[in-house]
Amino acid sequence: MKSLTSFTSCAGRNLSAFALVAVLAGCTSQAALDARSPDLTFDLPDNYQAVYARTLTSIRRCWPVENFASSSEFIQSDLFNELGYAEINRGRADLMSTSAVAKIKISRAGRGSRVEVTAPFLEAHPAQKDWLVYWMKGGQKCRKIGEGAPPPL
């Protein structure tokens, strides 16, 4: 059985609108995602552990995973206190393979934190990027269908 941390291909056909956008625009292998330069990088004044906790909470609450008969989505998160960073990975798995959709790395940067988001679909869908940034900065509202930009913080 493959580990969920070793993604190999893009599968999955029954998808929500957001998952369909992510898969069609950016489903890739984990190795390719790791080798790719971040699509978005910014600094926050808050501790990386606090940014990680609120981002993970908002992603789980507002960007829920979906499960289908042939495949399922997952969120894998790890906090590495001794190394000074955390990661949140979102992907899809089916009977034969797993695939990466997005990777968020939150690192210690002085007294604050540096956030690096690698998600190929962000280039074509700026509203999703705006919502991810909104959640990382502490926003609590979830996106509704058809809603554009997030509210101001």
Side-chain angles (χ1 to χ4, degrees):
M1 185 170 148
K2 288 185 178 180
S3 164
L4 292 180
T5 59
S6 61
F7 307 111
T8 56
S9 69
C10 187
R13 291 174 178 72
N14 297 327
L15 306 172
S16 68
F18 188 78
L20 179 62
V21 167
V23 169
L24 292 178
C27 197
T28 186
S29 71
Q30 184 67 42
L33 203 63
D34 289 341
R36 181 182 169 103
S37 295
D39 297 292
L40 174 66
T41 301
F42 60 95
D43 294 327
L44 292 172
D46 306 316
N47 177 285
Y48 77 98
Q49 295 160 323
V51 175
Y52 165 75
R54 72 177 173 231
T55 301
L56 182 59
T57 298
S58 292
I59 286 175
R60 284 185 173 154
R61 189 172 45 82
C62 300
W63 188 13
V65 297
E66 296 184 21
N67 296 301
F68 306 100
S70 62
S71 65
S72 63
E73 298 175 337
F74 62 88
I75 297 170
Q76 178 190 2
S77 60
D78 295 295
L79 176 61
F80 302 100
N81 286 318
E82 64 282 357
L83 300 175
Y85 75 95
E87 285 186 349
I88 301 170
N89 292 286
R90 182 167 180 107
R92 294 190 56 77
D94 65 18
L95 295 174
M96 302 299 287
S97 63
T98 56
S99 58
V101 175
K103 174 184 171 184
I104 301 168
K105 182 176 182 180
I106 306 163
S107 307
R108 182 183 306 133
R111 290 187 160 177
S113 58
R114 168 152 294 181
V115 177
E116 296 174 335
V117 180
T118 307
F121 70 89
L122 290 179
E123 295 170 13
H125 303 282
Q128 279 90 347
K129 176 184 76 170
D130 294 342
W131 279 93
L132 283 172
V133 171
Y134 169 77
W135 295 328
M136 289 179 228
K137 290 183 175 181
Q140 298 294 311
K141 186 177 177 189
C142 291
R143 183 177 186 189
K144 294 179 180 152
I145 293 175
E147 190 172 14
L153 288 174

